Amino acid sequence: MKRYIRAVVAGMLVALLFCMVKNFIGHKFPNSSYGMQAAIGMEEIDHLFIGSSLFRQGIDILTLEEHMEGKSYIMSYNGNQPVQILEEMRMLLRNDVKIENAYVDLYVYSAALRPAISDTKLIWDLDFSGKVTIYKDMVTYSEAGFPEFFDFFIKSNNEYMVMYPVFYSILQSEFYKGGNIRETIGSTSEILDNLGTPGDRAGIDPVQKKALREIVKLCKEENINLYFVEVPKYYTLAETDYYIRLRSELESIVSDCKYAKAEEVVFDNENPAYYQDLFHLSAEGRRTYTKNLINRIEEIKAEEVVK
Amino acid sequence: MTFDTIRFCVFLSAMLLIYYCSPEKIRKYVIFVGNILFYISFDLKVAVMAVFTTAITYYSGLQIEKNKYKNKKTAFCWLTATVAAIILVLGIFKYLNFFVETINIVLKWFHANTSMPLVQLFAVIGISYYSLKAISYLVEVYKGNMEAERNFISYGDYILFFPQIVAGPIDKPESLISQINTSLHYKEDLMKKAVVLLASGYMKKLVIANLAAGYVNTVYGNTVSQTGLTCLFAAFLYSIQIYCDFSGYSDISIGLAAMFGIQVRNNFDCPYLSVNIKDFWRRWHISLSSFLRDYIYIPLGGSRKGEIKKIRNVLVIFLASGLWHGAAWTFVFWGLYHGILNCLSKNVENIERLKGFLWIKRMVRVLGTFILVTLGWIFFRAESFGKAFEIIRKIVFETSVSIGAIQETILVFTGDSMSLAYFLTLVIMVFLLFFREYRYTYGGLKDAEENKREKEALFWTGFCVFAILCFGNFGTQGFIYANF
């Protein structure tokens, strides 16, 4: 019987070891094309775009490289919230990454939520202290209990770790400096017009508001030029009353900052070929939007000089 | 309180502690109290009903015993009346709304303006299982294969044994009751077996079945927007899911019984390595197949009264099996489908006699059987014939294999790049499981020495514990067969 108990204990120990490797050194596994570690590897970033999947699908890295001077990088995680963006920026700075300009995604639906992780890849990429900070936020503001602890530190990314060699080569082929380089095709008006919108929310979450203010403060302290960017949503969503209301609430928090609003960038958000769904742009939409976003950023810079 | 919850772990730990701290004589009482508590954890009404059924069938068993030699007719009356009552209760709780819905459909065909209202009844967990156990007991007593149990607690432990309540196995009464009466003590070999079975069962359920369930539910929930390849993969995954879910449950059930020193018979024997449908039914849900064979097929004449009657008998037991699985016409069709395939299958012994390139022939037959079984599962899983045929139509006419189609198929897991990791993990786990089963059925472990088999079992146990902790999906799905 002892041998059977030993087998069970051995299985538990291997699982523990596996989780320790994942939590303490997983983020150091090489990844040169996607996520936080690739950004850290760059050491100096002139244009850091940091946000949700809207950035990954909405900003074209090749267009950035063509039209913007210096090194660009897109750091994105699905549903990335301001509290997480703040921690990601802190981790980059902890790792001595020099950032010249930061462009932060202003996305109402992630800012309207209590702190929670939508993309487990973020947990993988954070160092242990970053993981603890994010988890503490979840405990404090979202009443996370044992199931969340188990998901966060034990369950998340195990499949990713086992399949790491496969993933590494896939990420290498699909991403370049954090940007999606796959030729994703656009949709049709029949499909997009019939897609349901995510609906209303109670308002911007106070914890996310605070994190946005912290991001502004951090950038000031570190002499980083901060811009907020709103990726244009398909018109059926962008023109709803609740979206407009939520967005104006979000804008009021960053009213003193440089901000490229969606409607200030020349872009046809009624063209279904530019969209995969109500939020994410197609490859064609991505290129068009990025080109015009760069122009808008140049205008903002010029306005700053005049001021 | 299902087997995959923390509450159950606490309950089991407390049960084992009290059980082994008690003198052997009162251990059956400890199990009885545990059974009742386990039932109450679902619903008090369910517990009352189960105990009531137990009491009625216990009394009936005693009456059959009393009359079976002196007054055979009275004994037969007791048997018939009790079995009819059990089937009536089962019918009311499980099939009443099915009949009402069927009548409403017929009324609609005749453009009748009236329809019968559905009846709101509470769900009785395990009714399909304890009803069959009670029938099995009464028949065995009537046939004189065993004496009626005089101790109500021993009988109650047989009918309500908590590891078997939710989804079987439907054990034979003689063996279980005699163990309850005579050997409720610690048995090291059974405890070792329990450790392996529990690790393996939870791995099958929590790692493979629950992961596959997410995918299958998404595809079956919205077939319209799925590609042919996605439907094909979902059909294949459902075969894996239902096997790992149910055989995982059975492993856990047998393992739990073994922890209490009770040996329960196997319910599965590597069914997806079957060489034809007949072989499949000798390896799948063995306890139900045996029940249907012993209490329906053989009393109807079995294969003794000519080919036509044999076919009729086979179709009857498979229709009964279909209906037992669920109150819907898709289940009836599934039963009929397997009945027909069974009639067309050769006996396994005839296949084993095939010579030359046996392993190639076997592989082709195993694959063919798996495809036929998977086709049947589509009807079993789909909520309606329309949905089942829609999936088959998509598989047949809309399946294309390209990088894009494969990507789209895999993406269903999580909707993002992590889908690939889930997909590959699932593939590895399924491969390891079937590789092990293959080794036990045909490969090196089939006739290996005990020492070699034990080493393999130890390694497998350790691996399963690791897999459960790292890849288990907890609290997401109940057991499929708990619904039947």
Side-chain angles (χ1 to χ4, degrees):
Chain A
M1 194 63 210
K2 274 183 190 167
R3 295 174 77 190
Y4 285 79
I5 293 168
R6 264 188 233 138
V8 172
V9 173
M12 291 165 112
L13 287 176
V14 172
L16 183 70
L17 187 70
F18 186 84
C19 291
M20 283 171 71
V21 168
K22 176 187 71 178
N23 282 315
F24 289 105
I25 57 171
H27 65 279
K28 289 185 178 165
F29 285 24
N31 201 329
S32 59
S33 62
Y34 177 74
M36 195 134 42
Q37 291 310 313
I40 291 170
M42 286 175 73
E43 293 177 357
E44 284 182 19
I45 304 172
D46 297 296
H47 306 284
L48 173 70
F49 288 79
I50 181 165
S52 66
S53 60
L54 303 187
F55 264 23
R56 185 164 63 241
Q57 305 287 7
I59 312 278
D60 187 54
I61 188 68
L62 299 176
T63 309
L64 288 180
E65 288 216 321
E66 195 182 334
H67 294 94
M68 280 180 127
E69 280 184 21
K71 292 181 191 172
S72 298
Y73 188 81
I74 301 170
M75 199 161 92
S76 65
Y77 295 98
N78 299 329
N80 216 5
Q81 298 175 336
V83 283
Q84 290 143 15
I85 291 174
L86 174 64
E87 194 49 40
E88 289 154 22
M89 291 188 79
R90 280 181 182 151
M91 183 166 153
L92 291 181
L93 295 170
R94 268 204 302 276
N95 283 278
D96 300 324
V97 177
K98 285 181 186 151
I99 305 165
E100 184 73 28
N101 301 289
Y103 306 85
V104 172
D105 184 10
L106 218 54
Y107 176 35
V108 294
Y109 283 109
S110 66
L113 289 173
R114 304 293 286 169
I117 298 280
S118 304
D119 189 344
T120 51
K121 177 77 167 65
L122 171 63
I123 304 174
W124 173 272
D125 281 349
L126 284 168
D127 58 18
F128 191 68
S129 74
K131 285 184 181 83
V132 171
T133 307
I134 294 273
Y135 180 70
K136 276 184 180 168
D137 278 347
M138 284 168 63
V139 172
T140 312
Y141 303 113
S142 305
E143 294 168 359
F146 179 74
E148 287 76 14
F149 173 85
F150 188 83
D151 280 349
F152 199 98
F153 290 105
I154 311 289
K155 179 81 182 66
S156 69
N157 293 307
N158 292 333
E159 290 83 2
Y160 180 80
M161 186 153 134
V162 171
M163 294 301 149
Y164 180 80
V166 180
F167 254 84
Y168 180 76
S169 50
I170 289 173
L171 290 178
Q172 287 289 87
S173 66
E174 290 196 351
F175 294 96
Y176 171 67
K177 292 186 176 177
N180 188 350
I181 49 172
R182 266 199 319 170
E183 275 300 310
T184 44
I185 55 163
S187 190
T188 62
S189 54
E190 288 83 43
I191 293 173
L192 292 178
D193 290 349
N194 289 314
L195 278 180
T197 57
D200 200 358
R201 297 288 184 275
I204 303 303
D205 185 77
V207 185
Q208 309 291 2
K209 280 183 188 174
K210 192 180 156 202
L212 281 169
R213 290 191 194 104
E214 287 285 316
I215 290 169
V216 176
K217 197 175 145 199
L218 181 71
C219 288
K220 266 185 193 158
E221 285 168 5
E222 299 290 335
N223 288 324
I224 299 168
N225 292 316
L226 175 66
Y227 299 83
F228 286 99
V229 174
E230 186 204 9
V231 178
K233 314 297 179 295
Y234 192 61
Y235 79 101
T236 53
L237 171 66
E239 291 174 7
T240 57
D241 291 342
Y242 54 82
Y243 184 81
I244 293 167
R245 179 175 51 75
L246 286 168
R247 201 189 67 160
S248 63
E249 190 185 342
L250 194 57
E251 282 173 4
S252 68
I253 305 160
V254 295
S255 55
D256 297 338
C257 304
K258 287 166 274 188
Y259 176 28
K261 288 183 189 181
E263 60 268 28
E264 289 171 355
V265 178
V266 179
F267 189 74
D268 181 7
N269 72 341
E270 294 184 20
N271 183 353
Y274 283 168
Y275 284 88
Q276 287 182 278
D277 53 42
L278 301 182
F279 299 94
H280 300 102
L281 302 185
S282 64
E284 190 189 352
R286 186 160 70 219
R287 282 191 284 270
T288 309
Y289 172 68
T290 308
K291 214 169 171 181
N292 295 328
L293 174 69
I294 294 166
N295 293 338
R296 177 62 195 140
I297 287 167
E298 291 302 324
E299 284 171 17
I300 293 172
K301 277 183 189 167
E303 285 163 14
E304 281 294 304
V305 172
V306 172
K307 276 185 193 171
Chain B
M1 184 162 58
T2 52
F3 294 165
D4 55 347
T5 56
I6 299 284
R7 266 177 80 194
F8 180 75
C9 290
V10 174
F11 168 78
L12 179 67
S13 308
M15 276 286 292
L16 285 170
L17 191 70
I18 298 166
Y19 182 79
Y20 282 112
C21 287
S22 312
E24 200 174 323
K25 277 185 181 173
I26 67 158
R27 283 181 185 167
K28 62 182 168 194
Y29 298 93
V30 175
I31 294 182
F32 190 80
V33 173
N35 293 337
I36 302 297
L37 290 176
F38 188 76
Y39 248 105
I40 289 173
S41 77
F42 290 105
D43 192 347
L44 185 62
K45 290 193 290 271
V46 173
V48 170
M49 231 183 105
V51 173
F52 184 69
T53 307
T54 308
I56 296 286
T57 51
Y58 166 75
Y59 183 72
S60 176
L62 291 177
Q63 291 306 313
I64 292 169
E65 177 71 38
K66 199 170 110 186
N67 294 294
K68 71 181 174 191
Y69 300 116
K70 292 183 214 160
N71 194 346
K72 194 91 179 165
K73 267 190 182 171
T74 312
F76 184 74
C77 285
W78 272 104
L79 173 71
T80 316
T82 319
V83 169
I86 292 169
I87 292 171
L88 183 70
V89 173
L90 184 65
I92 289 170
F93 278 91
K94 205 168 161 182
Y95 303 105
L96 186 62
N97 281 334
F98 169 59
F99 287 118
V100 170
E101 278 170 5
T102 306
I103 289 168
N104 285 341
I105 290 169
V106 174
L107 287 173
K108 218 173 174 182
W109 284 346
F110 290 104
H111 304 289
N113 285 329
T114 178
S115 67
M116 290 171 71
L118 294 177
V119 185
Q120 292 293 328
L121 292 168
F122 57 93
V124 184
I125 302 289
I127 190 168
S128 306
Y129 297 92
Y130 71 66
S131 298
L132 297 197
K133 277 168 109 179
I135 291 172
S136 172
Y137 166 77
L138 294 172
V139 174
E140 292 303 317
V141 171
Y142 176 77
K143 282 160 75 177
N145 292 338
M146 65 179 290
E147 283 188 8
E149 177 54 45
R150 292 182 192 283
N151 186 315
F152 178 73
I153 299 298
S154 301
Y155 176 69
D157 279 346
Y158 161 67
I159 295 287
L160 305 173
F161 191 36
F162 77 88
Q164 299 182 329
I165 283 172
V166 181
I170 306 153
D171 228 299
K172 287 260 186 180
E174 310 95 292
S175 148
L176 203 59
I177 291 176
S178 85
Q179 288 184 71
I180 290 164
N181 281 331
T182 58
S183 66
L184 289 183
H185 53 262
Y186 177 82
K187 298 176 189 106
E188 180 144 318
D189 56 333
L190 279 186
M191 196 55 99
K192 284 178 185 172
K193 189 180 165 189
V195 174
V196 181
L197 284 172
L198 287 175
S200 187
Y202 277 113
M203 196 284 264
K204 283 181 191 172
K205 167 65 185 163
L206 297 172
V207 179
I208 300 177
N210 281 2
L211 185 51
Y215 191 98
V216 171
N217 293 347
T218 307
V219 175
Y220 276 81
N222 179 16
T223 44
V224 179
S225 59
Q226 308 299 342
T227 64
L229 192 64
T230 307
C231 289
L232 179 65
F233 188 60
F236 165 75
L237 264 193
Y238 185 67
S239 296
I240 303 294
Q241 184 203 340
I242 195 164
Y243 170 62
C244 288
D245 191 289
F246 190 26
S247 79
Y249 172 86
S250 293
D251 286 352
I252 296 167
S253 168
I254 297 166
L256 290 173
M259 288 183 115
F260 291 89
I262 295 172
Q263 182 144 25
V264 175
R265 67 171 162 178
N266 262 352
N267 212 16
F268 287 89
D269 181 19
C270 315
Y272 288 149
L273 296 178
S274 309
V275 290
N276 66 13
I277 292 292
K278 215 167 241 177
D279 190 22
F280 175 79
W281 280 102
R282 294 201 319 186
R283 297 158 176 265
W284 179 276
H285 204 171
I286 296 166
S287 63
L288 178 69
S289 302
S290 309
F291 180 93
L292 294 172
R293 184 196 61 216
D294 295 346
Y295 303 116
I296 301 181
Y297 182 71
I298 292 174
L300 282 174
S303 57
R304 290 163 297 164
K305 295 184 178 173
E307 201 58 29
I308 301 288
K309 283 199 173 164
K310 182 188 159 190
I311 290 171
R312 180 203 67 184
N313 297 342
V314 169
L315 292 180
V316 166
I317 61 160
F318 276 97
L319 276 175
S321 169
L323 255 181
W324 178 88
H325 278 89
W329 286 107
T330 46
F331 288 108
V332 176
F333 178 84
W334 172 81
L336 194 63
Y337 168 80
H338 272 278
I340 292 167
L341 289 180
N342 211 278
C343 292
L344 297 173
S345 292
K346 282 181 184 171
N347 284 329
V348 182
E349 295 75 29
N350 296 340
I351 291 159
E352 290 296 326
R353 272 190 232 122
L354 292 169
K355 285 177 186 167
F357 300 108
L358 187 62
W359 69 271
I360 295 179
K361 282 180 182 170
R362 189 191 289 147
M363 288 291 283
V364 171
R365 284 177 177 279
V366 166
L367 193 66
T369 308
F370 181 72
I371 290 168
L372 288 174
V373 170
T374 297
L375 187 60
W377 288 137
I378 293 175
F379 290 93
F380 192 90
R381 173 61 180 80
E383 288 134 31
S384 63
F385 282 112
K387 204 159 233 181
F389 284 120
E390 170 72 7
I391 286 176
I392 292 168
R393 187 189 64 77
K394 286 205 171 216
I395 291 172
V396 175
F397 297 110
E398 292 182 17
T399 299
S400 64
V401 181
S402 63
I403 296 291
I406 293 170
Q407 278 179 339
E408 209 172 319
T409 298
I410 293 171
L411 208 60
V412 176
F413 275 103
T414 60
D416 59 23
S417 56
M418 282 303 282
S419 289
L420 183 66
Y422 281 95
F423 168 75
L424 292 173
T425 307
L426 186 62
V427 168
I428 289 174
M429 295 294 169
V430 171
F431 172 78
L432 290 175
L433 178 70
F434 282 89
F435 180 66
R436 181 173 185 264
E437 294 202 344
Y438 180 83
R439 274 161 55 84
Y440 266 99
T441 313
Y442 299 114
L445 289 169
K446 191 183 172 190
D447 304 312
E449 290 167 16
E450 194 50 42
N451 193 26
K452 195 178 173 189
R453 285 169 78 97
E454 188 178 39
K455 269 186 190 166
E456 194 276 345
L458 288 168
F459 179 78
W460 179 248
T461 303
F463 171 76
C464 288
V465 171
F466 161 74
I468 292 162
L469 288 173
C470 290
F471 306 108
N473 294 281
F474 298 88
T476 50
Q477 302 279 332
F479 289 93
I480 295 175
Y481 264 67
N483 301 319
F484 298 148

